[in-house]
Amino acid sequence: MQRFSISLMGALLGISLVTAAVGETDAKAAITRSERCSSLSRQVDEALETHAAATQVTAAKALQRKGNRFCANKKQAQGIRMLANALKLLGVTPIDPVQ
């Protein structure tokens, strides 16, 4: 009987560890590329307001338009890159919502 309870405890511990690991990966994968596009576009809008005197404002706006077009045309990876580059032109580090 004691061996059975030890085996049962070991099995339950293993299951709980696997469940915890799966739960963490689900939390990280919760944001979609479309949501990331929207988040970065909002960040570019905010950066354009706060960095209106930056020398690269025109180029950043052009990259934002391209990025938004890519995101709208189901090419989110390219759109995300364009939007992140627009932020970098303005001297702003993109904020990752997963953090």
Side-chain angles (χ1 to χ4, degrees):
M1 184 67 174
Q2 188 176 7
R3 285 185 184 173
F4 176 74
S5 63
I6 291 173
S7 298
L8 183 62
M9 291 293 283
L12 290 174
L13 177 63
I15 290 171
S16 66
L17 290 174
V18 169
T19 305
V22 169
E24 288 178 20
T25 58
D26 286 345
K28 290 180 182 177
I31 188 165
T32 65
R33 285 184 179 176
S34 295
E35 292 169 338
R36 182 76 174 129
C37 282
S38 298
S39 172
L40 285 172
S41 188
R42 279 191 301 274
Q43 289 177 45
V44 173
D45 287 337
E46 292 171 8
L48 286 169
E49 288 177 15
T50 58
H51 296 81
T55 58
Q56 300 291 332
V57 169
T58 305
K61 285 180 181 180
L63 281 174
Q64 183 186 27
R65 283 191 301 272
K66 278 184 173 179
N68 287 337
R69 255 185 273 132
F70 276 125
C71 288
N73 291 324
K74 303 218 185 291
K75 295 181 180 178
Q76 288 92 356
Q78 290 99 328
I80 289 168
R81 280 194 296 274
M82 292 286 175
L83 292 167
N85 286 335
L87 285 169
K88 289 175 187 174
L89 277 179
L90 296 170
V92 176
T93 303
I95 299 170
D96 189 7
V98 178
Q99 292 178 345

